[in-house]
mmCIF file of all heavy atoms in Angstrom:
data_model
loop_
_atom_site.group_PDB
_atom_site.id
_atom_site.type_symbol
_atom_site.label_atom_id
_atom_site.label_comp_id
_atom_site.label_asym_id
_atom_site.label_seq_id
_atom_site.Cartn_x
_atom_site.Cartn_y
_atom_site.Cartn_z
ATOM 1 N N GLY A 113 96.940 122.807 100.391
ATOM 2 C CA GLY A 113 95.512 122.684 100.660
ATOM 3 C C GLY A 113 95.046 121.257 100.878
ATOM 4 O O GLY A 113 93.875 121.018 101.145
ATOM 5 N N ILE A 114 95.951 120.269 100.745
ATOM 6 C CA ILE A 114 95.598 118.861 100.939
ATOM 7 C C ILE A 114 96.429 118.300 102.085
ATOM 8 O O ILE A 114 97.638 118.511 102.160
ATOM 9 C CB ILE A 114 95.843 118.034 99.648
ATOM 10 C CG1 ILE A 114 94.998 118.553 98.495
ATOM 11 C CG2 ILE A 114 95.574 116.547 99.885
ATOM 12 C CD1 ILE A 114 93.499 118.396 98.675
ATOM 13 N N LYS A 115 95.770 117.582 102.990
ATOM 14 C CA LYS A 115 96.452 116.956 104.128
ATOM 15 C C LYS A 115 97.191 115.701 103.668
ATOM 16 O O LYS A 115 96.781 115.039 102.716
ATOM 17 C CB LYS A 115 95.434 116.588 105.201
ATOM 18 C CG LYS A 115 94.695 117.773 105.770
ATOM 19 C CD LYS A 115 93.598 117.327 106.714
ATOM 20 C CE LYS A 115 92.752 118.498 107.159
ATOM 21 N NZ LYS A 115 91.574 118.073 107.912
ATOM 22 N N SER A 116 98.254 115.354 104.375
ATOM 23 C CA SER A 116 99.058 114.200 103.978
ATOM 24 C C SER A 116 98.637 112.904 104.669
ATOM 25 O O SER A 116 99.035 111.832 104.238
ATOM 26 C CB SER A 116 100.537 114.462 104.244
ATOM 27 O OG SER A 116 100.749 114.664 105.626
ATOM 28 N N PHE A 117 97.811 112.963 105.727
ATOM 29 C CA PHE A 117 97.383 111.750 106.422
ATOM 30 C C PHE A 117 95.960 111.390 106.024
ATOM 31 O O PHE A 117 95.056 112.208 106.121
ATOM 32 C CB PHE A 117 97.458 111.932 107.940
ATOM 33 C CG PHE A 117 97.002 110.726 108.702
ATOM 34 C CD1 PHE A 117 97.744 109.563 108.704
ATOM 35 C CD2 PHE A 117 95.810 110.744 109.402
ATOM 36 C CE1 PHE A 117 97.314 108.433 109.397
ATOM 37 C CE2 PHE A 117 95.364 109.631 110.105
ATOM 38 C CZ PHE A 117 96.133 108.475 110.095
ATOM 39 N N ASN A 118 95.785 110.162 105.587
ATOM 40 C CA ASN A 118 94.483 109.658 105.162
ATOM 41 C C ASN A 118 94.162 108.405 105.975
ATOM 42 O O ASN A 118 95.062 107.671 106.377
ATOM 43 C CB ASN A 118 94.506 109.321 103.663
ATOM 44 C CG ASN A 118 93.128 109.033 103.104
ATOM 45 O OD1 ASN A 118 92.104 109.337 103.707
ATOM 46 N ND2 ASN A 118 93.088 108.435 101.932
ATOM 47 N N PHE A 119 92.902 108.157 106.216
ATOM 48 C CA PHE A 119 92.484 106.903 106.826
ATOM 49 C C PHE A 119 91.158 106.491 106.220
ATOM 50 O O PHE A 119 90.407 107.303 105.696
ATOM 51 C CB PHE A 119 92.387 107.002 108.361
ATOM 52 C CG PHE A 119 91.384 107.997 108.850
ATOM 53 C CD1 PHE A 119 90.070 107.624 109.077
ATOM 54 C CD2 PHE A 119 91.751 109.311 109.089
ATOM 55 C CE1 PHE A 119 89.138 108.546 109.531
ATOM 56 C CE2 PHE A 119 90.828 110.236 109.548
ATOM 57 C CZ PHE A 119 89.526 109.848 109.764
ATOM 58 N N GLY A 120 90.917 105.191 106.280
ATOM 59 C CA GLY A 120 89.680 104.675 105.712
ATOM 60 C C GLY A 120 89.393 103.284 106.240
ATOM 61 O O GLY A 120 90.065 102.784 107.141
ATOM 62 N N LEU A 121 88.403 102.656 105.655
ATOM 63 C CA LEU A 121 87.982 101.309 106.013
ATOM 64 C C LEU A 121 88.080 100.428 104.787
ATOM 65 O O LEU A 121 87.530 100.770 103.736
ATOM 66 C CB LEU A 121 86.542 101.323 106.543
ATOM 67 C CG LEU A 121 85.942 99.963 106.864
ATOM 68 C CD1 LEU A 121 86.685 99.329 108.041
ATOM 69 C CD2 LEU A 121 84.464 100.100 107.194
ATOM 70 N N ASP A 122 88.779 99.306 104.922
ATOM 71 C CA ASP A 122 88.914 98.337 103.834
ATOM 72 C C ASP A 122 87.923 97.194 104.025
ATOM 73 O O ASP A 122 87.732 96.716 105.151
ATOM 74 C CB ASP A 122 90.316 97.723 103.817
ATOM 75 C CG ASP A 122 91.379 98.634 103.266
ATOM 76 O OD1 ASP A 122 91.052 99.744 102.826
ATOM 77 O OD2 ASP A 122 92.559 98.223 103.274
ATOM 78 N N LEU A 123 87.334 96.747 102.925
ATOM 79 C CA LEU A 123 86.523 95.524 102.881
ATOM 80 C C LEU A 123 87.007 94.725 101.689
ATOM 81 O O LEU A 123 87.155 95.271 100.587
ATOM 82 C CB LEU A 123 85.037 95.850 102.714
ATOM 83 C CG LEU A 123 84.374 96.625 103.836
ATOM 84 C CD1 LEU A 123 82.930 96.969 103.463
ATOM 85 C CD2 LEU A 123 84.394 95.815 105.130
ATOM 86 N N GLY A 124 87.257 93.424 101.887
ATOM 87 C CA GLY A 124 87.765 92.649 100.768
ATOM 88 C C GLY A 124 87.719 91.164 101.011
ATOM 89 O O GLY A 124 87.157 90.674 102.000
ATOM 90 N N ALA A 125 88.336 90.446 100.079
ATOM 91 C CA ALA A 125 88.394 88.985 100.139
ATOM 92 C C ALA A 125 89.694 88.521 99.521
ATOM 93 O O ALA A 125 90.326 89.238 98.740
ATOM 94 C CB ALA A 125 87.204 88.371 99.403
ATOM 95 N N GLU A 126 90.074 87.304 99.882
ATOM 96 C CA GLU A 126 91.251 86.693 99.272
ATOM 97 C C GLU A 126 90.984 85.232 99.017
ATOM 98 O O GLU A 126 90.152 84.610 99.689
ATOM 99 C CB GLU A 126 92.487 86.862 100.159
ATOM 100 C CG GLU A 126 92.496 86.006 101.383
ATOM 101 C CD GLU A 126 93.796 86.121 102.167
ATOM 102 O OE1 GLU A 126 94.414 87.206 102.161
ATOM 103 O OE2 GLU A 126 94.203 85.121 102.772
ATOM 104 N N TYR A 127 91.670 84.716 98.016
ATOM 105 C CA TYR A 127 91.560 83.303 97.697
ATOM 106 C C TYR A 127 92.964 82.724 97.630
ATOM 107 O O TYR A 127 93.812 83.210 96.874
ATOM 108 C CB TYR A 127 90.826 83.096 96.369
ATOM 109 C CG TYR A 127 90.630 81.638 96.048
ATOM 110 C CD1 TYR A 127 89.656 80.896 96.700
ATOM 111 C CD2 TYR A 127 91.436 81.000 95.114
ATOM 112 C CE1 TYR A 127 89.485 79.550 96.429
ATOM 113 C CE2 TYR A 127 91.269 79.655 94.834
ATOM 114 C CZ TYR A 127 90.295 78.938 95.496
ATOM 115 O OH TYR A 127 90.125 77.615 95.244
ATOM 116 N N ASN A 128 93.224 81.714 98.448
ATOM 117 C CA ASN A 128 94.523 81.054 98.478
ATOM 118 C C ASN A 128 94.495 79.885 97.504
ATOM 119 O O ASN A 128 93.695 78.965 97.656
ATOM 120 C CB ASN A 128 94.817 80.539 99.888
ATOM 121 C CG ASN A 128 94.956 81.662 100.882
ATOM 122 O OD1 ASN A 128 96.000 82.277 100.955
ATOM 123 N ND2 ASN A 128 93.893 81.951 101.623
ATOM 124 N N PHE A 129 95.354 79.942 96.507
ATOM 125 C CA PHE A 129 95.438 78.839 95.557
ATOM 126 C C PHE A 129 96.875 78.347 95.518
ATOM 127 O O PHE A 129 97.780 79.016 95.985
ATOM 128 C CB PHE A 129 94.945 79.250 94.159
ATOM 129 C CG PHE A 129 95.766 80.325 93.510
ATOM 130 C CD1 PHE A 129 96.750 80.010 92.604
ATOM 131 C CD2 PHE A 129 95.537 81.661 93.799
ATOM 132 C CE1 PHE A 129 97.501 80.993 92.004
ATOM 133 C CE2 PHE A 129 96.280 82.656 93.209
ATOM 134 C CZ PHE A 129 97.275 82.327 92.312
ATOM 135 N N ALA A 130 97.070 77.157 94.970
ATOM 136 C CA ALA A 130 98.361 76.493 95.039
ATOM 137 C C ALA A 130 98.751 76.424 96.522
ATOM 138 O O ALA A 130 97.891 76.492 97.393
ATOM 139 C CB ALA A 130 99.400 77.207 94.182
ATOM 140 N N GLU A 131 100.024 76.329 96.839
ATOM 141 C CA GLU A 131 100.376 76.226 98.254
ATOM 142 C C GLU A 131 100.633 77.577 98.889
ATOM 143 O O GLU A 131 100.196 77.851 99.997
ATOM 144 C CB GLU A 131 101.593 75.328 98.433
ATOM 145 C CG GLU A 131 101.878 75.067 99.891
ATOM 146 C CD GLU A 131 102.876 73.953 100.099
ATOM 147 O OE1 GLU A 131 102.907 73.026 99.275
ATOM 148 O OE2 GLU A 131 103.626 74.035 101.063
ATOM 149 N N ASN A 132 101.321 78.455 98.186
ATOM 150 C CA ASN A 132 101.726 79.712 98.792
ATOM 151 C C ASN A 132 101.234 80.947 98.052
ATOM 152 O O ASN A 132 101.631 82.052 98.397
ATOM 153 C CB ASN A 132 103.257 79.773 98.888
ATOM 154 C CG ASN A 132 103.812 78.730 99.826
ATOM 155 O OD1 ASN A 132 103.161 78.360 100.800
ATOM 156 N ND2 ASN A 132 104.991 78.248 99.545
#
Side-chain angles (χ1 to χ4, degrees):
I114 299 295
K115 298 174 187 172
S116 62
F117 179 70
N118 190 16
F119 62 90
L121 176 66
D122 284 357
L123 296 175
E126 73 175 32
Y127 183 76
N128 295 280
F129 63 97
E131 187 167 328
N132 295 329

